[in-house]
Amino acid sequence: MIYLKDIRKSFNQQPVLKGINLKVGKGEVVAILGPSGSGKTTLLRCLNFLDKPDEGIVQVGDVQVKTKKATKREILSLRRQSAMVFQHYNLFAHKTVLENVMEGLIVTKKYKKTDAKRESELMLKKVGLEDKHHHYPSQLSGGQQQRVGIARALALNPQVILFDEPTSALDPELVGEVLSVIKTIAQEGITMVIVTHEMSFAREVSDRVLFMDGGVIVEEGSPLEIFNAPKEERTRQFLNRISRDIPIPYLEEKAN
Amino acid sequence: MGKSFDPSLIVNFVPTLIHYLGVTLQILAASVSLGMILGITAAILRVFRIPILNQFVILYISFIRGTPILIQLFLVFYGLPAILLFINIDISRMEALYFVIITYALSNGAHFAEIFRGAIKAVDHGQTEAAYSVGMNNGQSFRRIVLPQAIRIAFPNIANAIIGSLKDTSLAFTIGVMDMMGRGETLIAATAHGLEVYLSLSIIYYAVVLLFEKIFRLYENRINRHQAVNVSAAG
Ligand SMILES: Nc1ncnc2c1ncn2[C@@H]1O[C@H](COP(=O)(O)OP(=O)(O)OP(=O)(O)O)[C@@H](O)[C@H]1O
Ligand SMILES: [Mg+2]
């Protein structure tokens, strides 16, 4: 479903991705962990060419793009294979909730308005926002905005959904509602790549975990392998540092 | 020198002058509409840094901003026919009104371009990325996502520029256009009551500006009814 070969990317001569190889199968849910600045966001953005890699091959669904020869048309069709959920939601501020979800269907999938509306209403129901159709993004809480973002991505029925820290801009009490929506759609067999700092969520939702540091994938494995028996020192250090931040009651609850 | 001040004349002058408000508004409407097209085009050339045209637009804007409109008016009035004569087009008989409209359109275009450019940049880039991520191309995301929001952001400044332009039209008489101001000049010549004429003119201009401000404010409230305009998503 996703195939990356030797993806390299630098910003101002500073290498950020140093040769990423990755395969993700259909229906697989992959979580990407790693310290700040390790290149997680950049990797995700290379998957839909929001950042253009300097080198390598990107394939999503059945569209393959060789970076060096990428044409506008290829990039457009690559982008139409995936959908993205952004850290800061990036909803269209001048459009209502319903219009936000319909927009992609109408403009890029050429749906008739009534079909787009029906489909979008379905998606909004799925994320629990059936009563907010005519609200504008600025009238919603962060958690609600992010659920609109998820509905907008889902509506496109993409091969893959990319999530970049979907909950890290949210107040703690709003994180749960968003994670539970993501968990629900993960169970529907949609291929997903999720960058997250929510360790217990990553463990629960993913089939495979990648640990990135310094622009490379340091280690990958099942959640059990990565969280319980990391092989690499860097992974261990990272997980130790993160778990120290987790409040004690939470750990106790997990232990039971 | 004028005759002694007689405020009661104002009652007579205002209706006479208001008769010519139509000409003023005609100049304004034509130059604002043309200026809008010019301004949005120029802003797009600037924002997307279209080679050569971009440099040309920079020069155009800086020239308009750097020279008095009165001089621009004379440059167009005397210069345009001279230039066009080179390619055998004779517009020396064209009505002065059109030279005024051309000048004010050029001037408005430059000011609108700067306002639109700022407004386009003020639209959170994340929304453009979201548009790309749902599969839109550059044109679609600009037209459907960026432009509508940029217009809303630009609106208050555009409204101010239009009001400024309304007042600037009072220079049209210098090349012989018979607008309110032009009629005022003939009234002064005929009656020698300059102060009363200028007071009458200021009453009319002031009333029209207040009316415009009111209309713009109502419209602004209407388009912003539901939403903060330049929200950058997070919240
Ligand atoms: N557009 C850009 N221009 C210049 N440098 C950039 C740009 N985007 C990212 N970088 C740099 O690339 C590196 C990796 O950034 P990236 O956003 O991919 O990290 P990340 O793993 O997502 O971090 P975080 O957990 O903080 O989100 C950082 O050093 C960052 O400063
Ligand atoms: Mg990031």
Side-chain angles (χ1 to χ4, degrees):
Chain A
M1 186 55 58
I2 297 178
Y3 167 70
L4 294 181
K5 180 149 187 278
D6 200 28
I7 297 297
R8 289 167 195 276
K9 173 77 182 168
S10 301
F11 288 112
N12 321 317
Q13 278 95 44
Q14 198 77 300
V16 170
L17 297 178
K18 302 174 187 166
I20 302 283
N21 294 293
L22 180 64
K23 270 186 190 157
V24 177
K26 190 168 166 57
E28 208 179 353
V29 177
V30 174
I32 304 181
L33 314 179
S36 183
S38 54
K40 307 181 295 294
T41 296
T42 308
L43 176 60
L44 220 51
R45 291 167 59 87
C46 282
L47 277 166
N48 60 4
F49 270 62
L50 285 183
D51 284 330
K52 186 175 179 294
D54 301 329
E55 271 176 63
I57 296 175
V58 178
Q59 179 172 353
V60 180
D62 26 66
V63 177
Q64 190 180 80
V65 178
K66 296 187 178 64
T67 299
K68 288 258 166 84
K69 294 186 237 160
T71 62
K72 270 197 173 154
R73 179 177 286 269
E74 283 178 332
I75 292 173
L76 202 60
S77 58
L78 180 78
R79 282 186 180 148
R80 291 183 179 173
Q81 301 297 303
S82 65
M84 191 171 223
V85 174
F86 296 86
Q87 183 173 7
H88 296 289
Y89 334 128
N90 298 6
L91 299 182
F92 307 131
H94 61 310
K95 294 192 177 285
T96 63
V97 165
L98 188 62
E99 288 166 346
N100 261 275
V101 182
M102 288 167 64
E103 187 69 8
L105 293 178
I106 289 175
V107 181
T108 65
K109 302 211 123 180
K110 308 292 178 209
Y111 274 45
K112 284 209 213 72
K113 208 163 176 187
T114 46
D115 296 339
K117 188 156 177 274
R118 188 169 349 98
E119 187 66 19
S120 301
E121 284 168 352
L122 224 60
M123 294 306 145
L124 285 168
K125 187 141 193 256
K126 197 174 259 185
V127 300
L129 289 173
E130 57 271 48
D131 55 341
K132 302 282 185 207
H133 287 178
H134 302 295
H135 285 58
Y136 283 87
S138 59
Q139 299 170 314
L140 301 179
S141 75
Q144 290 166 336
Q145 288 188 53
Q146 191 58 297
R147 285 186 279 148
V148 177
I150 294 170
R152 176 173 70 183
L154 267 180
L156 298 167
N157 192 21
Q159 302 283 344
V160 181
I161 302 184
L162 311 168
F163 294 82
D164 188 13
E165 301 196 34
T167 60
S168 65
L170 293 174
D171 292 338
E173 71 269 21
L174 300 177
V175 169
E177 65 186 61
V178 172
L179 293 186
S180 83
V181 166
I182 300 175
K183 276 182 215 163
T184 316
I185 59 178
Q187 281 153 12
E188 293 179 5
I190 301 173
T191 315
M192 309 203 297
V193 181
I194 309 174
V195 173
T196 183
H197 287 297
E198 300 282 339
M199 293 304 145
S200 61
F201 166 71
R203 179 194 291 240
E204 238 180 282
V205 79
S206 67
D207 303 309
R208 184 147 56 107
V209 176
L210 309 183
F211 173 70
M212 279 184 73
D213 195 7
V216 295
I217 297 173
V218 174
E219 183 170 1
E220 62 179 294
S222 69
L224 209 65
E225 288 165 344
I226 298 291
F227 287 108
N228 295 7
K231 293 194 196 70
E232 299 290 329
E233 182 56 28
R234 276 196 277 179
T235 317
R236 251 192 303 265
Q237 278 175 0
F238 173 76
L239 291 172
N240 273 333
R241 204 168 57 236
I242 290 279
S243 63
R244 242 181 285 127
D245 298 338
I246 298 176
I248 303 296
Y250 173 83
L251 287 176
E252 283 172 351
E253 183 190 313
K254 275 274 132 183
N256 296 331
Chain B
M1 283 269 56
K3 296 191 184 151
S4 63
F5 181 57
D6 179 0
S8 68
L9 280 176
I10 295 176
V11 185
N12 297 330
F13 286 165
V14 168
T16 313
L17 292 168
I18 233 169
H19 212 68
Y20 292 79
L21 179 59
V23 180
T24 299
L25 294 181
Q26 198 185 338
I27 297 172
L28 186 70
S31 65
V32 164
S33 319
L34 292 173
M36 208 62 101
I37 297 168
L38 208 55
I40 292 183
T41 312
I44 290 171
L45 296 177
R46 286 282 276 122
V47 170
F48 293 102
R49 303 196 182 179
I50 310 298
I52 305 171
L53 290 175
N54 180 25
Q55 273 74 33
F56 180 75
V57 169
I58 292 174
L59 187 68
Y60 154 58
I61 291 172
S62 95
F63 180 78
I64 296 285
R65 282 157 66 110
T67 53
I69 186 131
L70 187 58
I71 291 176
Q72 293 164 16
L73 189 58
F74 287 135
L75 283 179
V76 170
F77 187 57
Y78 294 114
L80 199 57
I83 293 172
L84 289 181
L85 214 51
F86 273 116
I87 50 172
N88 279 324
I89 300 176
D90 182 9
I91 56 163
S92 55
R93 310 227 145 186
M94 196 168 79
E95 262 184 68
L97 182 71
Y98 295 110
F99 290 100
V100 172
I101 290 173
I102 292 170
T103 310
Y104 286 86
L106 286 170
S107 163
N108 282 335
H111 294 114
F112 293 168
E114 283 301 271
I115 295 170
F116 279 122
R117 187 169 72 97
I120 289 168
K121 284 188 157 174
V123 178
D124 163 34
H125 186 63
Q127 292 185 44
T128 303
E129 298 201 327
Y132 292 154
S133 82
V134 302
M136 289 192 218
N137 61 31
N138 291 335
Q140 289 165 334
S141 85
F142 185 76
R143 273 197 313 279
R144 301 190 55 105
I145 306 302
V146 178
L147 196 57
Q149 296 186 65
I151 287 173
R152 276 178 212 186
I153 294 170
F155 185 77
N157 290 328
I158 295 285
N160 278 336
I162 291 174
I163 286 171
S165 181
L166 167 72
K167 292 184 288 182
D168 282 346
T169 58
S170 65
L171 293 172
F173 81 95
T174 55
I175 59 168
V177 171
M178 193 46 87
D179 68 338
M180 275 200 306
M181 195 68 191
R183 184 69 183 93
E185 292 297 313
T186 60
L187 266 182
I188 295 171
T191 65
H193 280 284
L195 182 56
E196 293 84 343
V197 168
Y198 288 127
L199 276 172
S200 307
L201 283 169
S202 33
I203 289 169
I204 300 171
Y205 276 112
Y206 190 37
V208 174
V209 167
L210 288 183
L211 185 70
F212 271 46
E213 279 179 346
K214 180 84 189 161
I215 294 170
F216 287 148
R217 198 160 326 122
L218 285 176
Y219 184 68
E220 196 179 332
N221 290 341
R222 222 178 93 84
I223 58 177
N224 293 340
R225 228 170 349 174
H226 291 301
Q227 51 208 306
V229 161
N230 45 1
V231 280
S232 60

